[in-house]
């Protein structure tokens, strides 16, 4: 079922040229809402994450998710409209949280989309959502087909060692699940070489060692609190990173 967004802008006018351009650049008919929050009762703000189906026919590798923040001036009947494109849901949620959305209101995705496959995926996504401005996004890639994956290349401002981090999301359409893993590299060149070559397992961040149990405990607590529905796929201690496929990504997949 396609869930189109309701921007709730009837009788409102754009407050500035940038908002007019941003709002006019998005066609609601192309979007499938993954998560949203609208403030009540005043309705001054809306926060949405949506999958943009039109990106399938755009530039190969471009991010297919869009995060949207709408601010309404109820007295002037005007609105501001801000957007940011992301390769993965967690980074889109992080952007919205950084722009004022309550974390608990945007954390749970809806609809019949791929689900996290294991506890480590849940933990990594939560880490991204709650990271604030810790990760600076340097590049990303979204792929629909073989291999079904997205990756986001970042710089971790909190990392004392191996500050370049790759967040690799691999989909399993047959199981209707996906995994998210974090890799660490000394510099951007090394990370890009791994993304091109895939000749070795994704290297774990140094700070992962000895923390697998704590990560999985946090993930289990998050799941039990109802933050996300996760099919049981067995615990992953993080000691078996993705080895990659060696295949070049091809155009993107829907969430």
């Amino acid at each position: 079922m396609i869930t189109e967004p309701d921007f709730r802008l009837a009788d409102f006018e754009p407050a500035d040229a940038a908002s007019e351009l941003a709002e006019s650049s998005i066609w609601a008919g192309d979007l499938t809402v993954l998560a949203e929050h609208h403030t009540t009762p005043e309705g001054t703000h809306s926060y949405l994450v949506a999958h943009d189906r039109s990106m399938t026919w755009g530039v190969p590798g471009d991010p297919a998710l869009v995060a949207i923040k709408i601010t309404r001036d109820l007295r002037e009947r005007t609105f501001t409209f801000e957007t940011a494109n992301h390769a993965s849901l967690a980074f889109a949620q992080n952007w919205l949280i950084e722009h004022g959305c309550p974390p608990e209101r945007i954390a749970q995705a809806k609809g019949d989309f791929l689900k996290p496959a294991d506890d480590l995926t849940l933990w990594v996504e939560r880490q991204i959502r709650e990271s604030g401005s810790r990760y600076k996004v340097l590049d990303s890639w979204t792929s629909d087909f073989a291999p079904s994956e997205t990756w986001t290349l970042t710089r971790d401002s909190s990392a004392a060692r191996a500050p370049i981090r790759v967040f690799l999301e691999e989909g399993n359409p047959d199981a209707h699940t996906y995994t998210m893993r974090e890799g660490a590299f000394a510099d951007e060149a090394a990370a890009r070489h791994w993304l091109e070559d895939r000749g070795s397992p994704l290297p774990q961040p140094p700070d992962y060692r000895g923390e697998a149990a704590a990560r999985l405990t946090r993930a289990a607590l998050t799941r039990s609190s109802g933050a996300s529905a996760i099919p049981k796929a067995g615990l992953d201690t993080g000691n078996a990173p993705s080895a990659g496929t060696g295949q070049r990504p091809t155009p993107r997949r829907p969430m």
Side-chain angles (χ1 to χ4, degrees):
M1 177 178 173
I2 302 300
T3 306
E4 294 184 10
D6 179 2
F7 294 143
R8 307 186 183 193
L9 294 177
D11 301 323
F12 285 84
E13 297 293 331
D16 49 48
S19 295
E20 182 177 16
L21 177 61
E23 192 269 339
S24 64
S25 299
I26 290 179
W27 184 45
D30 283 334
L31 303 183
T32 302
V33 175
L34 306 182
E36 61 185 318
H37 170 60
H38 305 274
T39 58
T40 56
E42 296 85 0
T44 54
H45 291 82
S46 290
Y47 304 89
L48 306 94
V49 182
H51 176 254
D52 186 348
R53 297 185 299 279
S54 71
M55 298 301 289
T56 299
W57 314 111
V59 178
D62 274 0
L65 300 184
V66 58
I68 302 169
K69 177 188 178 182
I70 301 169
T71 305
R72 303 175 190 83
D73 186 323
L74 303 181
R75 177 178 296 180
E76 298 295 330
R77 308 303 292 179
T78 60
F79 68 88
T80 58
F81 200 100
E82 302 172 77
T83 67
N85 293 99
H86 294 277
S88 71
L89 179 60
F91 277 101
Q93 291 167 323
N94 169 265
W95 185 89
L96 291 174
I97 292 168
E98 283 295 280
H99 284 74
C101 184
E104 69 277 4
R105 299 294 186 181
I106 206 70
Q108 187 170 359
K110 61 183 181 179
D112 185 27
F113 299 98
L114 301 187
K115 304 298 183 183
D118 52 31
D119 287 338
L120 185 56
T121 295
L122 176 61
W123 184 88
V124 172
E125 290 189 313
R126 182 182 179 185
Q127 174 178 290
I128 294 168
R129 280 199 306 271
E130 299 178 357
S131 64
S133 58
R134 173 178 174 178
Y135 299 109
K136 178 183 179 181
V137 175
L138 305 175
D139 200 359
S140 69
W141 183 278
T142 299
S143 168
D144 276 350
F145 308 113
S148 177
E149 70 172 38
T150 70
W151 53 256
T152 302
L153 178 66
T154 72
R155 181 179 297 276
D156 183 354
S157 62
S158 297
R161 294 181 293 162
I164 301 301
R165 301 297 168 93
V166 170
F167 291 92
L168 178 66
E169 179 182 319
E170 296 178 295
N172 183 345
D174 293 335
H176 207 63
T177 62
Y178 67 92
T179 59
M180 175 76 86
R181 298 293 186 261
E182 179 183 2
F185 299 86
D187 52 48
E188 187 175 339
R192 291 188 181 277
H193 176 75
W194 186 90
L195 288 166
E196 291 283 343
D197 181 65
R198 307 295 179 96
S200 61
L202 184 65
Q204 287 185 329
D207 47 316
Y208 269 30
R209 295 176 186 138
E211 294 187 0
R215 296 201 310 276
L216 294 179
T217 297
R218 291 179 191 175
L221 289 173
T222 300
R223 187 175 67 251
S224 65
S225 69
S228 179
I230 299 182
K232 193 64 176 175
L235 297 183
D236 187 324
T237 64
N239 292 321
S242 168
T245 63
Q247 295 174 276
R248 297 291 300 158
T250 51
R252 64 193 61 76
R253 63 174 172 83
M255 288 291 292

